[in-house]
Amino acid sequence: MISDAPARPILQIEYCRQCRWMLRAAWMAQELLTTFEDELGGITLMPGTGGIFEVRHGAAVIWSRKEEGRFPDITELKQRVRDHIAPDKPLGHADRKRPADP
């Protein structure tokens, strides 16, 4: 059956197989698919090497461990994915600002 609905975005999570980060990538994919069940068309897990951990939509890099110097907190990743694919989607408690440090 052919649908007239626009194709939903598919994200890629490339993870370092040498570092054994597949479970982390799979967990983050599960969290994103649960949060964006109506907005995403899927997430592809892609094994890589050399310490890579990137979340991408096409050529756009949403998160890069190399550039950020760390893994994302899941709330932070959800906010970035939302800002990229569904800017009007509310994230509930994840949208609340943390109090500023004194």
Side-chain angles (χ1 to χ4, degrees), residues 47-85:
T49 58
I52 192 163
F53 192 90
E54 286 189 353
V55 179
R56 296 185 295 262
H57 176 230
V61 177
I62 297 172
W63 185 274
S64 169
R65 180 183 165 276
K66 183 177 180 180
E67 289 176 22
E68 301 289 339
R70 62 187 174 83
F71 287 101
D73 159 304
I74 194 61
T75 300
E76 185 177 27
L77 182 57
K78 287 179 182 183
Q79 289 168 341
R80 287 199 188 181
V81 168
R82 182 268 317 270
D83 293 348
H84 189 77
I85 66 161

Side-chain angles (χ1 to χ4, degrees), residues 34-48:
T34 299
T35 299
F36 299 100
E37 61 188 352
D38 294 328
E39 292 82 14
L40 285 175
I43 297 179
T44 303
L45 297 180
M46 302 168 49

